Amino acid sequence: MLLIEIPVAFLLGLTSVIRGWGRGDEQTVAPAMDRVPVLWLGGFTLAVLVIAVIFMYSAHPFAGAVQLLVAAIALVFTIAAWHGQYERAHPPQPPTRAGMPHTLSNHVTDR
């Protein structure tokens, strides 16, 4: 199973990287969150987890444990992909001057 999962994981990573190349950095607004890499990696993680459970039930605990390890690694990559897409879609707000809001104060009413 690992001989099948390794090339599939490599192709998923490669297609995720290639999808990001076509985006321009000249956008002034934050782009929408791209959920495709997260969904693909999540599906791969779920498939590996199902295979692990099948191995565990079919009295192959070592193969099931290896599959659980692969599923845990895939889950880390899925969470990292989600976090990267979330940060890209929700950039941090620029700080205001001296921590003050952008409203003008009225000196007459501030006294």
Side-chain angles (χ1 to χ4, degrees), residues 88-99:
R88 187 179 64 82
H90 301 91
Q93 296 295 326
T96 58
R97 189 170 50 125

Side-chain angles (χ1 to χ4, degrees), residues 2-53:
L2 284 176
L3 294 177
I4 295 172
E5 291 169 354
I6 291 172
V8 170
F10 179 72
L11 287 174
L12 283 174
L14 185 65
T15 56
S16 294
V17 168
I18 289 173
R19 278 181 58 88
W21 280 352
R23 298 194 176 104
D25 292 333
E26 66 276 353
Q27 296 177 347
T28 58
V29 296
M33 188 168 165
D34 186 12
R35 291 182 175 91
V36 173
V38 177
L39 292 175
W40 276 105
L41 286 170
F44 177 75
T45 303
L46 185 63
V48 172
L49 190 60
V50 167
I51 292 169
V53 169

Side-chain angles (χ1 to χ4, degrees), residues 1-2 13 15 19 30 35 44 53 58-59 68 73 78-79 86:
M1 289 309 292
L2 284 176
T15 56
R19 278 181 58 88
R35 291 182 175 91
F44 177 75
V53 169
S58 66
L68 286 175
I73 293 169
T78 303
I79 292 171
Y86 183 83

Side-chain angles (χ1 to χ4, degrees), residues 64-79:
V66 170
Q67 291 295 314
L68 286 175
L69 181 64
V70 172
I73 293 169
L75 181 63
V76 168
F77 280 106
T78 303
I79 292 171

